[in-house]
Amino acid sequence: VQLQASGGGLVQPGGSLRLSCAASGSIFRDMAWYRQAPGKQRELVARITSGGNTNYADSVKGRFTISRDNAKNTVDLQMNSLKPEDTAAYVCYAMSWRGSTYWGQGTQVTVSS
């Protein structure tokens, strides 16, 4: 199983970015985005089930939207109204129906003027 993330970059405060993650293998039960800022623990940003149920970290509610395409086995994260505190390495995550977990490589998001 491979998770290939893309879409990170440098953006000004208030701007938008869209992250995408393409997964190989079968359809996963859950897919998610986590992030880790320097000196901080990895935290869940948003999670989506195969049925489309979602949950978000309080810090991103109303600004970020997670979506997935089961046919393409992809999960996206639309990030709007970005803040400097959103700066982190964003990592794609997937859990299989058997409970196995997989992590992709990080994609850096930097929010700075």
Side-chain angles (χ1 to χ4, degrees):
V1 173
Q2 289 187 330
L3 302 175
Q4 185 68 41
S6 60
L10 173 64
V11 64
Q12 292 186 342
S16 298
L17 279 175
R18 188 176 185 89
L19 305 182
S20 295
C21 177
S24 64
S26 57
I27 300 298
F28 297 96
R29 191 187 79 183
D30 293 351
M31 300 186 81
W33 287 95
Y34 283 74
R35 68 186 180 187
Q36 186 165 19
K40 295 187 177 181
Q41 289 188 329
R42 181 175 289 182
E43 63 172 351
L44 174 68
V45 177
R47 189 178 187 119
I48 185 168
T49 68
S50 61
N53 294 318
T54 59
N55 63 284
Y56 296 89
D58 287 343
S59 59
V60 307
K61 283 181 181 177
R63 300 188 298 122
F64 291 12
T65 302
I66 190 170
S67 60
R68 65 187 286 178
D69 185 330
N70 290 334
K72 296 180 180 179
N73 221 1
T74 58
V75 59
D76 291 350
L77 185 68
Q78 177 65 42
M79 305 185 294
N80 299 328
S81 302
L82 282 160
K83 304 175 181 180
E85 50 264 43
D86 295 319
T87 295
Y90 284 70
V91 183
C92 181
Y93 162 96
M95 175 185 282
S96 73
W97 290 92
R98 292 185 175 184
S100 299
T101 59
Y102 305 92
W103 297 90
Q105 88 287 2
T107 184
Q108 181 66 33
V109 172
T110 301
V111 185
S112 174
S113 56

